[in-house]
Coordinates of all heavy atoms in Angstrom, one line a residue:
M4 N 89.4 119.5 80.5 CA 88.4 118.5 80.7 C 88.8 117.1 80.3 O 89.5 117.0 79.3 CB 87.1 118.9 79.9 CG 86.5 120.2 80.4 SD 85.1 120.7 79.4 CE 83.9 119.5 79.8
N5 N 88.5 116.1 81.2 CA 88.9 114.8 80.8 C 87.7 114.0 80.0 O 86.6 114.1 80.4 CB 89.2 113.9 82.1 CG 90.4 114.4 82.7 OD1 91.3 115.0 82.1 ND2 90.6 114.1 84.0
N6 N 88.1 113.3 79.0 CA 87.2 112.5 78.3 C 87.0 111.2 79.2 O 87.9 110.9 79.9 CB 87.7 112.1 77.0 CG 87.8 113.4 76.1 OD1 87.1 114.4 76.3 ND2 88.5 113.3 75.0
S7 N 85.9 110.5 78.9 CA 85.7 109.3 79.7 C 86.8 108.3 79.2 O 87.2 107.4 80.0 CB 84.4 108.7 79.4 OG 84.2 108.4 78.0
K8 N 87.3 108.4 78.0 CA 88.3 107.5 77.5 C 89.6 107.7 78.2 O 90.3 106.8 78.6 CB 88.6 107.7 76.0 CG 89.6 106.8 75.4 CD 89.7 107.1 73.9 CE 90.8 106.2 73.3 NZ 91.0 106.5 71.9
D9 N 90.0 109.0 78.6 CA 91.2 109.3 79.2 C 91.1 108.8 80.7 O 92.1 108.3 81.2 CB 91.4 110.8 79.3 CG 91.8 111.3 77.9 OD1 92.2 110.5 77.1 OD2 91.6 112.5 77.7
S10 N 90.0 108.9 81.3 CA 89.9 108.5 82.7 C 89.9 106.9 82.9 O 90.3 106.4 83.9 CB 88.5 108.9 83.3 OG 87.4 108.4 82.7
K11 N 89.6 106.1 81.8 CA 89.7 104.7 81.8 C 91.1 104.3 81.5 O 91.4 103.1 81.9 CB 88.7 104.1 80.8 CG 87.3 104.3 81.1 CD 86.4 103.6 80.0 CE 84.9 103.8 80.3 NZ 84.1 103.1 79.3
T12 N 91.8 105.1 81.0 CA 93.2 104.6 80.6 C 94.3 105.2 81.6 O 95.4 105.1 81.3 CB 93.6 105.0 79.2 OG1 93.5 106.5 79.1 CG2 92.7 104.4 78.2
E13 N 93.9 105.8 82.7 CA 94.8 106.3 83.6 C 95.1 105.3 84.8 O 94.2 104.4 85.0 CB 94.5 107.7 84.1 CG 93.2 107.7 84.9 CD 92.8 109.1 85.4 OE1 93.3 110.1 84.7 OE2 92.1 109.3 86.3
L14 N 96.1 105.5 85.5 CA 96.5 104.7 86.6 C 95.6 105.1 87.8 O 95.8 106.3 88.3 CB 97.9 104.8 86.9 CG 98.6 103.7 87.6 CD1 98.5 102.4 86.8 CD2 100.1 104.0 87.7
T15 N 94.7 104.3 88.3 CA 93.8 104.7 89.4 C 94.5 104.5 90.8 O 95.6 103.8 90.8 CB 92.5 103.9 89.4 OG1 92.9 102.5 89.5 CG2 91.8 104.1 88.0
L16 N 93.9 105.0 91.8 CA 94.5 104.7 93.2 C 94.5 103.3 93.6 O 95.5 102.8 94.2 CB 93.6 105.5 94.2 CG 94.0 105.5 95.7 CD1 95.5 106.1 95.8 CD2 93.1 106.2 96.5
T17 N 93.5 102.6 93.1 CA 93.5 101.1 93.4 C 94.6 100.4 92.7 O 95.3 99.6 93.3 CB 92.2 100.5 92.8 OG1 91.1 101.2 93.4 CG2 92.1 99.1 93.2
D18 N 95.0 100.8 91.4 CA 96.1 100.2 90.8 C 97.4 100.6 91.5 O 98.2 99.7 91.6 CB 96.2 100.8 89.3 CG 95.0 100.4 88.4 OD1 94.5 99.2 88.7 OD2 94.7 101.1 87.4
K19 N 97.5 101.8 92.0 CA 98.7 102.2 92.7 C 99.0 101.4 93.9 O 100.0 101.0 94.3 CB 98.7 103.7 93.0 CG 98.8 104.5 91.7 CD 98.7 106.0 92.1 CE 98.7 106.8 90.8 NZ 98.5 108.2 91.1
I20 N 97.8 101.2 94.7 CA 97.9 100.4 96.0 C 98.2 98.9 95.6 O 99.1 98.4 96.4 CB 96.5 100.5 96.7 CG1 96.4 101.9 97.2 CG2 96.5 99.5 97.8 CD1 95.0 102.3 97.8
L21 N 97.6 98.4 94.6 CA 97.9 97.0 94.3 C 99.4 96.8 93.8 O 100.0 95.9 94.1 CB 97.0 96.5 93.1 CG 95.5 96.2 93.5 CD1 94.8 95.8 92.3 CD2 95.6 95.0 94.5
I22 N 99.9 97.8 93.1 CA 101.3 97.7 92.7 C 102.2 97.9 93.8 O 103.2 97.1 94.0 CB 101.6 98.8 91.6 CG1 100.9 98.6 90.3 CG2 103.1 99.0 91.3 CD1 100.9 99.7 89.4
F23 N 101.9 98.7 94.8 CA 102.7 99.0 95.9 C 102.8 97.7 96.8 O 103.9 97.3 97.2 CB 102.2 100.1 96.7 CG 103.1 100.5 98.0 CD1 104.3 101.3 97.8 CD2 102.7 100.1 99.2 CE1 105.1 101.6 98.8 CE2 103.5 100.4 100.3 CZ 104.7 101.1 100.1
F24 N 101.6 97.1 97.2 CA 101.6 96.1 98.1 C 101.8 94.7 97.5 O 102.5 93.7 98.1 CB 100.3 96.0 98.9 CG 100.3 97.1 100.0 CD1 99.4 98.2 99.8 CD2 101.1 97.2 101.1 CE1 99.4 99.2 100.7 CE2 101.1 98.2 102.0 CZ 100.2 99.2 101.8
F25 N 101.4 94.5 96.3 CA 101.4 93.1 95.6 C 102.1 93.1 94.3 O 102.1 92.1 93.6 CB 99.9 92.6 95.4 CG 99.1 92.6 96.7 CD1 98.1 93.5 96.9 CD2 99.5 91.7 97.7 CE1 97.4 93.5 98.0 CE2 98.7 91.7 98.9 CZ 97.7 92.6 99.0
G26 N 102.8 94.2 94.0 CA 103.5 94.2 92.7 C 104.6 93.1 92.5 O 104.7 92.5 91.5
V27 N 105.2 92.8 93.6 CA 106.3 91.7 93.6 C 105.6 90.4 93.3 O 106.1 89.7 92.4 CB 107.0 91.7 95.0 CG1 107.9 90.5 95.0 CG2 107.6 92.9 95.3
L28 N 104.5 90.1 93.8 CA 103.8 88.8 93.5 C 103.3 88.9 92.1 O 103.4 87.8 91.4 CB 102.6 88.6 94.4 CG 103.0 88.5 95.9 CD1 101.7 88.4 96.8 CD2 103.8 87.3 96.1
F29 N 102.8 90.0 91.6 CA 102.3 90.1 90.2 C 103.4 89.8 89.2 O 103.3 89.1 88.2 CB 101.7 91.4 89.9 CG 100.4 91.7 90.6 CD1 100.0 93.0 90.8 CD2 99.6 90.7 91.0 CE1 98.8 93.2 91.5 CE2 98.3 90.9 91.6 CZ 98.0 92.2 91.9
V30 N 104.6 90.3 89.5 CA 105.8 90.2 88.6 C 106.3 88.8 88.7 O 106.7 88.2 87.7 CB 106.9 91.3 89.0 CG1 108.2 90.9 88.2 CG2 106.4 92.7 88.5
M31 N 106.3 88.2 89.9 CA 106.7 86.8 90.0 C 105.9 85.8 89.2 O 106.4 84.9 88.6 CB 106.7 86.4 91.5 CG 107.9 86.9 92.3 SD 107.9 86.5 94.1 CE 107.1 85.0 94.3
F32 N 104.6 86.0 89.2 CA 103.6 85.1 88.5 C 103.4 85.5 87.1 O 103.4 84.6 86.3 CB 102.4 85.0 89.3 CG 102.5 84.3 90.6 CD1 102.3 85.0 91.8 CD2 102.8 83.0 90.7 CE1 102.4 84.4 93.0 CE2 103.0 82.3 92.0 CZ 102.8 83.1 93.1
V33 N 103.3 86.8 86.8 CA 103.0 87.1 85.4 C 104.2 87.6 84.6 O 104.2 87.4 83.4 CB 101.9 88.3 85.5 CG1 101.5 88.8 84.1 CG2 100.7 87.9 86.2
G34 N 105.1 88.1 85.3 CA 106.3 88.6 84.7 C 106.3 90.1 84.6 O 105.3 90.8 85.0
Y35 N 107.3 90.7 84.0 CA 107.3 92.1 83.8 C 106.3 92.7 82.8 O 106.1 93.9 82.7 CB 108.7 92.6 83.4 CG 109.7 92.5 84.5 CD1 110.7 91.6 84.6 CD2 109.7 93.5 85.5 CE1 111.6 91.5 85.7 CE2 110.5 93.5 86.6 CZ 111.5 92.5 86.7 OH 112.4 92.4 87.8
Q36 N 105.6 91.8 82.1 CA 104.5 92.3 81.2 C 103.5 93.0 81.9 O 102.9 93.9 81.4 CB 103.9 91.1 80.4 CG 104.8 90.5 79.5 CD 105.8 89.4 80.1 OE1 105.6 89.1 81.3 NE2 106.7 88.9 79.3
Y37 N 103.3 92.7 83.2 CA 102.4 93.4 84.0 C 102.7 94.9 84.1 O 101.8 95.7 84.0 CB 102.3 92.8 85.5 CG 101.3 93.5 86.4 CD1 99.9 93.4 86.3 CD2 101.8 94.4 87.3 CE1 99.1 94.1 87.1 CE2 101.0 95.1 88.2 CZ 99.6 94.9 88.1 OH 98.8 95.6 88.9
L38 N 104.0 95.2 84.3 CA 104.4 96.6 84.4 C 104.3 97.2 83.1 O 104.0 98.4 83.0 CB 105.8 96.7 85.1 CG 105.9 96.2 86.5 CD1 107.3 96.3 87.0 CD2 105.0 97.1 87.4
Y39 N 104.7 96.5 82.0 CA 104.8 97.1 80.7 C 103.3 97.4 80.2 O 103.1 98.3 79.4 CB 105.4 96.2 79.7 CG 106.8 95.9 79.9 CD1 107.4 94.7 79.8 CD2 107.7 97.0 80.3 CE1 108.7 94.4 80.0 CE2 109.0 96.8 80.6 CZ 109.5 95.5 80.4 OH 110.8 95.3 80.7
N40 N 102.3 96.6 80.7 CA 101.0 96.8 80.2 C 100.1 97.7 81.1 O 98.9 97.6 81.1 CB 100.3 95.4 80.1 CG 101.0 94.7 79.0 OD1 101.4 95.3 78.0 ND2 100.9 93.4 79.1
L41 N 100.7 98.4 82.0 CA 100.0 99.3 82.9 C 99.2 100.4 82.0 O 99.8 100.8 81.1 CB 100.9 100.0 83.8 CG 101.5 99.3 85.0 CD1 102.5 100.1 85.7 CD2 100.4 98.8 85.9
P42 N 98.0 100.8 82.4 CA 97.3 101.8 81.8 C 98.0 103.2 82.0 O 98.7 103.3 83.0 CB 95.9 101.7 82.3 CG 96.1 101.2 83.7 CD 97.3 100.3 83.6
G43 N 97.7 104.1 81.1 CA 98.2 105.5 81.3 C 99.2 105.9 80.3 O 99.7 105.2 79.6
T44 N 99.6 107.1 80.6 CA 100.7 107.7 79.8 C 102.0 107.2 80.2 O 102.1 106.5 81.3 CB 100.6 109.3 79.9 OG1 100.9 109.6 81.3 CG2 99.3 109.8 79.5
E45 N 103.0 107.6 79.6 CA 104.4 107.2 79.9 C 104.8 107.7 81.3 O 105.4 107.0 82.1 CB 105.4 107.8 78.9 CG 106.8 107.3 79.1 CD 107.8 107.8 78.0 OE1 107.3 107.9 76.8 OE2 108.9 107.9 78.4
K46 N 104.4 108.9 81.6 CA 104.6 109.5 83.0 C 103.9 108.7 84.0 O 104.5 108.4 85.1 CB 104.2 110.9 83.0 CG 104.5 111.6 84.3 CD 104.0 113.1 84.4 CE 104.2 113.7 85.7 NZ 103.7 115.1 85.7
Q47 N 102.7 108.3 83.8 CA 101.9 107.4 84.8 C 102.5 106.1 84.9 O 102.6 105.4 86.0 CB 100.5 107.3 84.4 CG 99.8 108.7 84.5 CD 98.4 108.7 83.9 OE1 98.1 107.8 83.1 NE2 97.5 109.6 84.4
K48 N 103.0 105.5 83.8 CA 103.7 104.2 83.9 C 104.9 104.3 84.7 O 105.3 103.4 85.4 CB 104.0 103.7 82.4 CG 102.7 103.2 81.7 CD 103.1 102.7 80.4 CE 101.7 102.3 79.7 NZ 102.0 101.6 78.4
R49 N 105.7 105.3 84.5 CA 106.9 105.5 85.3 C 106.5 105.6 86.8 O 107.2 105.1 87.6 CB 107.6 106.8 84.8 CG 109.1 106.7 84.5 CD 109.7 107.9 84.1 NE 109.5 108.2 82.7 CZ 109.0 109.4 82.3 NH1 108.9 110.4 83.1 NH2 108.8 109.6 81.0
Q50 N 105.4 106.3 87.1 CA 105.0 106.4 88.4 C 104.6 105.0 89.0 O 104.9 104.7 90.1 CB 103.7 107.3 88.5 CG 103.4 107.9 89.8 CD 102.2 108.9 89.7 OE1 101.3 108.6 88.9 NE2 102.3 110.1 90.3
G51 N 104.0 104.2 88.1 CA 103.7 102.8 88.6 C 105.0 102.0 88.9 O 105.0 101.3 89.9
I52 N 106.0 102.2 88.1 CA 107.2 101.5 88.4 C 107.9 102.0 89.6 O 108.5 101.2 90.4 CB 108.2 101.6 87.2 CG1 107.5 100.8 86.0 CG2 109.6 101.1 87.5 CD1 108.3 100.9 84.7
I53 N 107.7 103.3 89.9 CA 108.3 103.8 91.2 C 107.5 103.2 92.4 O 108.1 102.8 93.4 CB 108.2 105.3 91.2 CG1 109.2 106.0 90.2 CG2 108.4 105.9 92.6 CD1 109.0 107.4 90.0
F54 N 106.2 103.1 92.2 CA 105.4 102.4 93.3 C 105.9 101.0 93.5 O 105.9 100.4 94.6 CB 103.9 102.5 93.0 CG 103.3 103.8 93.4 CD1 102.8 104.7 92.4 CD2 103.1 104.2 94.7 CE1 102.3 105.8 92.7 CE2 102.5 105.3 95.0 CZ 102.1 106.2 94.1
Y55 N 106.2 100.3 92.4 CA 106.7 98.9 92.4 C 107.9 98.8 93.2 O 108.0 98.0 94.2 CB 106.9 98.4 91.0 CG 107.6 97.1 91.0 CD1 106.9 95.9 91.3 CD2 108.8 97.0 90.5 CE1 107.6 94.7 91.3 CE2 109.6 95.8 90.5 CZ 108.9 94.7 90.8 OH 109.5 93.5 90.7
Y56 N 108.9 99.7 93.0 CA 110.1 99.6 93.7 C 110.0 100.1 95.1 O 110.7 99.6 96.1 CB 111.3 100.4 93.0 CG 111.8 99.7 91.8 CD1 111.6 100.2 90.5 CD2 112.4 98.5 91.9 CE1 112.1 99.5 89.4 CE2 112.9 97.8 90.9 CZ 112.7 98.3 89.6 OH 113.2 97.6 88.5
A57 N 109.1 101.0 95.4 CA 108.8 101.5 96.8 C 108.2 100.4 97.6 O 108.4 100.2 98.7 CB 107.9 102.7 96.7
G58 N 107.3 99.6 96.9 CA 106.8 98.4 97.6 C 107.8 97.4 97.9 O 107.6 96.8 99.0
I59 N 108.7 97.2 97.0 CA 109.8 96.2 97.3 C 110.5 96.7 98.6 O 110.8 95.9 99.5 CB 110.7 96.0 96.2 CG1 110.0 95.3 95.1 CG2 112.0 95.3 96.6 CD1 110.9 95.2 93.8
L60 N 110.9 97.9 98.6 CA 111.6 98.6 99.8 C 110.7 98.4 101.1 O 111.3 98.1 102.1 CB 111.9 100.0 99.5 CG 112.7 100.8 100.6 CD1 114.0 100.1 100.7 CD2 112.8 102.2 100.2
F61 N 109.5 98.7 100.9 CA 108.6 98.5 102.1 C 108.6 97.1 102.6 O 108.7 96.9 103.8 CB 107.1 98.9 101.6 CG 106.1 98.5 102.7 CD1 105.9 99.4 103.8 CD2 105.3 97.5 102.5 CE1 104.9 99.0 104.7 CE2 104.3 97.1 103.4 CZ 104.1 97.9 104.5
W62 N 108.5 96.1 101.8 CA 108.5 94.8 102.3 C 109.8 94.4 102.8 O 109.8 93.6 103.8 CB 108.0 93.8 101.1 CG 106.6 93.9 100.9 CD1 105.9 94.3 99.8 CD2 105.5 93.5 101.8 NE1 104.6 94.3 99.9 CE2 104.3 93.8 101.1 CE3 105.4 93.0 103.1 CZ2 103.0 93.6 101.7 CZ3 104.2 92.9 103.7 CH2 103.0 93.1 103.0
V63 N 110.9 94.8 102.3 CA 112.2 94.5 102.8 C 112.3 95.1 104.2 O 112.7 94.4 105.2 CB 113.3 95.0 101.9 CG1 114.6 95.0 102.5 CG2 113.4 94.2 100.6
L64 N 111.9 96.4 104.4 CA 111.9 97.0 105.7 C 111.0 96.3 106.7 O 111.4 96.1 107.9 CB 111.5 98.4 105.6 CG 112.5 99.4 104.9 CD1 111.9 100.7 104.7 CD2 113.8 99.4 105.7
V65 N 109.8 95.8 106.3 CA 108.9 95.1 107.2 C 109.6 93.8 107.7 O 109.6 93.5 108.8 CB 107.6 94.7 106.5 CG1 106.8 93.7 107.3 CG2 106.8 96.1 106.3
V66 N 110.2 93.0 106.8 CA 110.9 91.8 107.2 C 112.1 92.1 108.1 O 112.3 91.4 109.0 CB 111.4 91.0 105.8 CG1 112.3 89.9 106.2 CG2 110.1 90.5 105.1
V67 N 112.9 93.1 107.8 CA 114.0 93.4 108.6 C 113.6 93.8 110.1 O 114.1 93.4 111.0 CB 114.9 94.5 108.0 CG1 115.9 95.0 109.0 CG2 115.6 94.0 106.7
I68 N 112.5 94.7 110.1 CA 112.0 95.1 111.4 C 111.5 93.9 112.2 O 111.7 93.8 113.4 CB 111.0 96.2 111.2 CG1 111.6 97.5 110.7 CG2 110.2 96.5 112.5 CD1 110.7 98.6 110.3
L69 N 110.7 93.1 111.5 CA 110.2 91.9 112.2 C 111.3 91.0 112.7 O 111.2 90.4 113.7 CB 109.2 91.1 111.3 CG 107.8 91.8 111.0 CD1 107.0 91.0 110.0 CD2 107.1 91.9 112.4
F70 N 112.3 90.8 111.9 CA 113.4 90.0 112.3 C 114.2 90.5 113.4 O 114.6 89.8 114.4 CB 114.4 89.8 111.1 CG 115.6 89.0 111.3 CD1 115.4 87.6 111.4 CD2 116.8 89.5 111.5 CE1 116.5 86.8 111.7 CE2 117.9 88.8 111.8 CZ 117.8 87.4 111.9
C71 N 114.4 91.9 113.5 CA 115.1 92.6 114.6 C 114.3 92.5 115.9 O 114.9 92.4 117.0 CB 115.4 94.0 114.2 SG 116.6 94.2 113.0
F72 N 113.0 92.6 115.9 CA 112.2 92.6 117.0 C 111.7 91.2 117.5 O 111.0 91.1 118.5 CB 111.0 93.5 116.9 CG 111.4 95.0 116.9 CD1 111.1 95.8 115.8 CD2 111.9 95.5 118.1 CE1 111.5 97.1 115.8 CE2 112.3 96.9 118.1 CZ 112.1 97.6 116.9
S73 N 112.1 90.2 116.8 CA 111.7 88.8 117.3 C 112.8 88.1 117.9 O 113.9 88.5 118.0 CB 111.2 88.0 116.0 OG 112.2 87.8 115.1

């Protein structure tokens, strides 16, 4: 059973989506403190960092694909 305290300190789906699509911008403006201060356990924070790097890869692929087809 999850306590309400545990559910407030975990990485939500919204957090994961924001990290994936906008993590690069957050890190550019706020710095890596944004990633260090993610809610959740160490495993969930690692997952957030994976989403961050997957987001970088996603944006690089989008730019390359747009460049190739233009």
